[in-house]
Amino acid sequence: MNVVVMGAQWGDEGKGKIVDYLAQDAKYVCRFAGGANAGHTIVVDGKKYALHQVPSGILYPNKSVILGSGMVIEPEALFNELKMLTENGVNWEGRVFISDRAHLTLPGYRQMDKDRDAARKRPIGTTGRGIGTTYSQKAERDGIRLADLDWDEKWNDLDDADKEFLNQYKEQLLKMRIDIAAKMWEIRKENILFEGAQGAMLDIDSGTYPYVSSGASGSYGASSGSGIGPRALDKVYGVFKAYETRVGNGPMPTEFNAESEGELCDYVRKTGNEFGVTTGRARRCGYLDLVALRYACHVNSIDSLVLTHLDVYDEMEEIEACVAYDIDGKIVTDFPTSIPALNKAKPVLQKFKGWKCSIKELKKYSQLPKQAKEYVDFIEDFTGTKVGIVSVGPDRVQTFNREKIWKK
């Protein structure tokens, strides 16, 4: 069975934890998009792991992971990450595979990323890891794939600095290289979990273009980035936080107002630890945007939602969520494509009662306070999508599963 886990907001929704949680019943975990710009934090028995390129399932000793065709691989960062896993007692050798169709990020791409963004009239706010440049080279058909490392003509096209860099990792990369299409067909009867990067609103096609990622962060990326057809995907889970965050530039209609809501923003940011795993940058924070969430559900065929960070609201008397936009005096309930419209959008908020107690120690969904359940019920009704999993903390055990995952 094939299950997809993707972000349903602007990234940083807690996908890493959810992939780790669901991976206990999977045989393989395949990451299908993004590169070293992604940051997935996982907490197991109180110990924190920060992963960037290696799929989250690697922490289970009997699971294998695949870096898919839709990823862009930064060799130095990858092997530093694998070294970190070794130092933390995780034996990964023989369990990490890389698609032969995945593209490689070369050292010079980082500066190209930064220079290109600095030269823009409207900067994107890139992480500067060379990700956008790698995808750009790929689209222009000038990139280098893992499959090309032993293609002499292609290798000779590289400059000496790039050859010297890749020679440090070439032998190790080739040992992990697989024909991903053949591998997917071979393991087609196993439980496979597909892990996305970034989120629906950062997808190159359906996100807030041009303030988006360069890759396919929508559900369709699980097919295009992993070597299987779209009809082979059985379920799509969309992960979202109980509030909204965004990193970098671009519209965010529900962002807290720095002057009138600065205290609320500081509380959410501090309580939710809203700082980038990769960059350390403070994330922009705001009210839960149900208009954007419903849009993400529709365009990605999300079967079930995963609500994370619900515990951040534990001490609040009242909760608010956005149910529409006010754009030039007109109430809008569909997510606009226009960036000027999104920049002018003011959130129409609905209030909910808080529960004023800690939910972190609860063991099952039925134990949640009435007010928390009412909040979840409203989200389900508004989006037309069930909330199948609820997370109330960073650890695996702080997860309430409300449905059978690995069943068609």
Side-chain angles (χ1 to χ4, degrees):
M1 185 171 175
N2 298 320
V3 172
V4 180
V5 175
M6 59 167 287
Q9 294 170 313
W10 277 283
D12 308 309
E13 304 95 345
K15 295 181 295 298
K17 176 204 166 165
I18 300 305
V19 169
D20 173 72
Y21 175 76
L22 297 180
Q24 58 190 317
D25 295 314
K27 181 68 175 176
Y28 293 87
V29 179
C30 177
R31 168 91 173 269
F32 62 81
N37 58 336
H40 293 171
T41 302
I42 301 161
V43 179
V44 182
D45 297 330
K47 189 172 184 178
K48 185 182 292 187
Y49 299 84
L51 299 174
H52 300 276
Q53 295 183 93
V54 180
S56 304
I58 194 63
L59 298 181
Y60 290 93
N62 59 337
K63 315 293 180 186
S64 293
V65 300
I66 301 170
L67 282 67
S69 306
M71 285 190 67
V72 290
I73 311 299
E74 184 182 325
E76 182 179 15
L78 173 62
F79 286 104
N80 283 339
E81 195 170 320
L82 292 172
K83 180 182 177 183
M84 176 275 293
L85 289 170
T86 299
E87 290 172 348
N88 282 276
V90 178
N91 183 12
W92 57 267
E93 292 192 35
R95 298 195 294 122
V96 178
F97 304 100
I98 308 174
S99 168
D100 53 4
R101 294 179 180 272
H103 279 246
L104 301 175
T105 297
L106 299 177
Y109 291 179
R110 290 189 181 194
Q111 194 58 47
M112 290 170 68
D113 244 11
K114 295 174 184 176
D115 291 345
R116 184 176 297 179
D117 206 41
R120 288 187 173 105
K121 292 181 179 179
R122 290 171 295 278
I124 305 299
T126 173
T127 59
R129 298 301 299 264
I131 307 304
T133 298
T134 313
Y135 278 116
S136 177
Q137 293 289 92
K138 175 181 178 178
E140 292 175 358
R141 291 150 294 179
D142 291 321
I144 181 166
R145 307 171 303 167
L146 189 53
D148 302 330
L149 288 182
D150 48 13
W151 177 13
D152 291 341
E153 291 176 315
K154 183 70 175 181
W155 179 261
N156 292 332
D157 289 340
L158 299 173
D159 61 36
D160 290 342
D162 288 336
K163 289 178 185 176
E164 183 179 353
F165 170 76
L166 288 173
N167 267 325
Q168 300 174 75
Y169 310 104
K170 187 175 180 179
E171 184 178 349
Q172 294 168 289
L173 287 169
L174 291 176
K175 285 181 181 179
M176 291 186 279
R177 181 176 67 175
I178 59 167
D179 178 335
I180 195 169
K183 183 68 174 179
M184 285 297 172
W185 182 253
E186 174 193 328
I187 63 175
R188 65 191 182 278
K189 294 182 180 179
E190 302 285 358
N191 283 347
I192 308 173
L193 192 60
F194 295 85
E195 176 183 8
Q198 287 78 50
M201 309 311 294
L202 292 176
D203 181 77
I204 188 71
D205 289 312
S206 57
T208 52
Y209 186 90
Y211 302 98
V212 292
S213 171
S214 299
S217 51
S219 60
Y220 70 96
S223 173
S224 62
S226 63
I228 64 170
R231 290 174 61 188
L233 302 176
D234 297 300
K235 285 185 181 179
V236 178
Y237 282 86
V239 186
F240 75 105
K241 281 188 281 211
Y243 48 93
E244 212 81 13
T245 64
R246 180 166 192 167
V247 172
N249 300 329
M252 184 180 170
T254 65
E255 185 169 11
F256 295 135
N257 183 291
E259 294 181 5
S260 60
E261 298 162 324
E263 188 175 339
L264 176 60
C265 181
D266 289 342
Y267 171 79
V268 169
R269 183 177 288 146
K270 182 179 179 180
T271 308
N273 191 30
E274 296 301 343
F275 300 90
V277 178
T278 302
T279 64
R281 287 188 290 185
R283 297 174 184 141
R284 299 159 62 188
C285 298
Y287 301 104
L288 174 62
D289 190 336
L290 290 171
V291 178
L293 183 61
R294 180 170 59 188
Y295 167 75
C297 289
H298 291 174
V299 299
N300 290 284
S301 297
I302 292 175
D303 296 294
S304 191
L305 287 165
V306 181
L307 170 58
T308 67
H309 290 67
L310 186 60
D311 54 295
V312 169
Y313 288 149
D314 281 356
E315 296 181 15
M316 296 181 67
E317 295 277 0
E318 191 174 72
I319 300 165
E320 293 181 281
C322 172
V323 295
Y325 303 142
D326 182 335
I327 303 176
D328 291 331
K330 181 181 178 182
I331 300 301
V332 175
T333 56
D334 289 320
F335 191 80
T337 302
S338 164
I339 297 299
L342 286 167
N343 284 335
K344 290 189 288 185
K346 298 177 181 178
V348 177
L349 300 172
Q350 180 156 330
K351 299 180 186 292
F352 303 86
K353 289 183 179 180
W355 41 91
K356 292 291 292 179
C357 65
S358 175
I359 60 174
K360 293 182 177 70
E361 294 78 25
L362 302 182
K363 302 300 182 185
K364 52 187 178 180
Y365 183 82
S366 61
Q367 295 176 336
L368 282 176
K370 175 186 174 184
Q371 296 88 339
K373 291 178 185 175
E374 288 175 346
Y375 185 59
V376 174
D377 289 344
F378 186 86
I379 293 169
E380 291 182 324
D381 290 341
F382 190 95
T383 62
T385 308
K386 181 179 179 181
V387 176
I389 301 174
V390 176
S391 171
V392 296
D395 206 287
R396 281 178 186 166
V397 297
Q398 295 173 299
T399 314
F400 306 145
N401 185 5
R402 305 176 68 202
E403 62 184 31
K404 294 182 179 179
I405 309 296
W406 299 98
K407 185 176 180 181
K408 295 184 182 180

